[in-house]
Amino acid sequence: MKKWQTKDQLIHLLCGLVQIPSVTGSTAEKLLPTYLIEQLNTLPYFQRNPGHVRATPTDDGRLFVTALVKKEGARDTVILISHFDVVDVEDYGSWKTHAFDPEQLTSLFQAQQQELPSAVQRDMETGNWLFGRGTMDMKCGLALHMSMVEKACAGEFDGNILLLTVPDEEVNSVGMRAAVPVLLELAQEFDLHYKTVLNSEPMFPRFPGDQNKYIYTGSIGKVLPGFLCYGKETHVGEPFAGLNGNLMASQLTCELELNTAFCEIVDGEATAPPTNLIQKDLKKEYSVQIPHRAVTLFNLFLLEKKMEDVVESLLEAATNAAEKIKQAYAKQADLFAQNSPFTPRPLSIQVMTYEALHAYALRTHGEEKVEQILGSVLAERGRMDDRDMTIELVDQLAALCKELSPMIILFFAPPFYPAVSSRQHPVTQRTVAEMEAYAQAHHQIALIRQSYFGGISDLSYAGLQYPASSMQPLIHNMPMWDKGYSIPMQALEAFDVPVLNLGPVGRDAHQWTERLDVDYAFGTLHEMLQHCIHTLLKEAKTSEVS
């Protein structure tokens, strides 16, 4: 008897997955893999092959799940990846207690439509939508993949299917980063030849109200650059005797915020410009001393830029900001001097990388002192967010070298998502062309190809578009690298598998109005996903023959 093939069966499976409140970092996130394994083990294939379903721990004690359906004599394998963690539900307000009960929440929303945004009301009038945290992002994708696994168990695919579902995609991608070396081990153990990593993240709208349907041949990259601004302390009564760190950070934010010079355009697709994610001073308590240390961090999307070019452009922006700070400081100092017996002092601001600061600290203060300071900060790991930990590492090292101030120090904080694109891969090109034609002929859908999925995804860890050695400018300027955060660069370089993303239609990811188009997901997409896997495995055999 089939378990996960009809729309009703898939809705039931999805609701069961959503009802486990697997918020990133929660206890439920650690428990959900047990539920998945229990469900998969109800399939006769896995009862006969118990070693094919596995839960593998990450370094921090979370688990990712793999489930391999091996067709006798076959090597060609499609990997189906998903994540089972979700963001928190604080935004649901009075509906918070129902956020993980899709059917109940949907009923409540239908009864109170007048309280919902107009766009949500329009959707409810014209379609079959299921609400709740994780319905679209991305437990629907996981449910669909479990359905494909069941089909594979029944022998419906001419090749192997490997399901991989991971925790922590929403924060640091601990799960996927830990999974890549294991995927290489599984390939060796079971003699697998990976053909494509197929994700089913929901379609990402390119503009408000976007109704188009997409298939993606890659995923956007992301880096998190920060600037530690170390000015000069002074009493508020003598502001020109020092330099306020908040002034420095604010000027940097003005320099980078929405700066379209940082946008990349590839095949007509443009990245969003950088935007600020964190800006704060580093004073521990109130006093009349100016906050002479501050920090500012930015989201920066990447497509094809090399890390050395990224660092160069960020240093250039910091240098521009430093010059504007100096000019503004000099102008105000001159004006103040007109009404006070005050002789303005020239201001100099150094701009440097964390790598340069670290090298100076070693030369000037010695390795033992530097390691002592960094070690005392790292001892607090687990009590601080990785961003705060990174900031503290840079701040403590800057304080050790305060003779260099005023200074602006460029660094990188976790997470880092490499950009990935398989748009030039022949198997990917032929598969996408087939899916475009199939969607139009069988479902009257114009499926539009996009080079990059714009919402950030674990597909970033399916390979590297540049050699691992090209990542040195990032590694050397990320204080937490190999100190609690890293990416298995060599494993990514060895893995290097083409990627695709074909997912459901949803709305309002990470919002209290998150919802899934059920008819499309468990009707149209369910059928198209099956055809996509057939096509990939057929393409694999064609490429082997040619």
Side-chain angles (χ1 to χ4, degrees), residues 98-117:
H98 304 289
F100 294 109
D101 188 343
E103 292 178 319
Q104 178 67 24
L105 182 66
T106 301
S107 295
L108 287 171
F109 281 174
Q110 288 171 342
Q112 304 173 49
Q113 286 192 38
Q114 68 281 0
E115 297 183 34
L116 304 178

Side-chain angles (χ1 to χ4, degrees), residues 351-362:
V351 174
M352 66 178 70
T353 61
Y354 174 80
E355 180 183 13
L357 176 68
H358 188 267
Y360 174 87
L362 289 174

Side-chain angles (χ1 to χ4, degrees), residues 215-232:
I215 184 169
Y216 304 90
T217 60
S219 192
I220 199 168
K222 165 183 170 163
V223 69
L224 193 60
F227 298 91
L228 192 287
C229 300
Y230 202 110
K232 188 177 186 305

Side-chain angles (χ1 to χ4, degrees), residues 417-431:
Y417 288 84
V420 61
S421 179
S422 302
R423 68 188 187 281
Q424 304 296 344
H425 196 284
V427 169
T428 303
Q429 289 177 331
R430 291 194 294 267
T431 299

Side-chain angles (χ1 to χ4, degrees), residues 66 105 117 171 177 277 308 319 354 394 407 416 491 496:
T66 54
L105 182 66
V171 180
R177 289 187 286 122
L277 291 177
E308 60 182 340
T319 300
Y354 174 80
V394 183
M407 55 182 163
F416 168 58
D496 194 26

Side-chain angles (χ1 to χ4, degrees), residues 14 78 86 159 163-164 183 248 290 325 414 463 496 501 527 531:
L14 174 61
V78 173
V86 298
L163 179 142
L164 167 66
L183 293 175
M248 301 169 72
I290 66 167
I325 294 166
D496 194 26
N501 191 98
E527 198 272 335
H531 185 73

